[in-house]
Amino acid sequence: MEIQPKKPSVKGPAAMFTGDVWFDVVAAPQPEPSRMRVNSVHFAPCARTAWHSHAVGQTLHVTEGVGRLQSRGGEVIEIRPGDTIYTPPGEWHWHGAAPEHFMTHLAMWEAPAEGPESEWGDLVTDEEYGTK
């Protein structure tokens, strides 16, 4: 057993996020065979990820606030505390906070045996987000 001290919070890079997003690494790469990753992600109102997909899928669990998410070609959906969302491997999507609320979720995914964990695309426009 190993207790891992909390690492400093990290600001989400502008190439991957619109607005103020911070994340705390909960579970980073562990010794093999584990490939589990978990981040607690904190979004300011209107902040959101860019379009992205995960090689092995992703699970989100909303812990506070109100958020939005969308799969490519789908409707923008509101999410709230207690909601758990599973996105299958390779599905392009985005997620973030609602316009008038902060939102925090746990983001959980696995790294593939080989290759990149995630693929990142364009930033989500205000029109896609729903503010225009």
Side-chain angles (χ1 to χ4, degrees):
M1 185 179 302
E2 178 183 334
I3 296 175
Q4 299 173 343
K6 183 184 180 312
K7 297 177 176 132
S9 298
V10 177
K11 176 120 174 74
M16 300 169 144
F17 298 94
T18 297
D20 288 326
V21 178
W22 290 82
F23 61 91
D24 294 307
V25 175
V26 176
Q30 304 295 322
E32 289 291 336
S34 177
R35 295 192 300 264
M36 180 177 68
R37 313 287 191 260
V38 180
N39 286 345
S40 179
V41 189
H42 313 274
F43 296 85
C46 291
R48 56 210 182 250
T49 68
W51 286 102
H52 64 286
S53 66
H54 301 277
V56 188
Q58 180 185 52
T59 299
L60 304 175
H61 181 77
V62 182
T63 59
E64 61 184 337
V66 180
R68 291 182 172 182
L69 60 81
Q70 181 183 29
S71 291
R72 178 92 60 202
E75 298 288 321
V76 174
I77 300 169
E78 183 174 279
I79 53 177
R80 295 186 167 272
D83 289 346
T84 299
I85 303 95
Y86 173 71
T87 305
E91 183 172 304
W92 284 87
H93 66 286
W94 63 266
H95 35 96
E100 297 177 354
H101 299 276
F102 287 85
M103 191 270 292
T104 299
H105 66 49
L106 293 174
M108 300 165 274
W109 71 101
E110 288 183 85
E114 293 182 16
E117 297 175 16
S118 304
E119 187 176 346
W120 289 87
D122 294 334
L123 294 175
V124 173
T125 66
D126 289 344
E127 185 175 334
E128 289 170 318
Y129 175 76
T131 54
K132 285 196 177 186

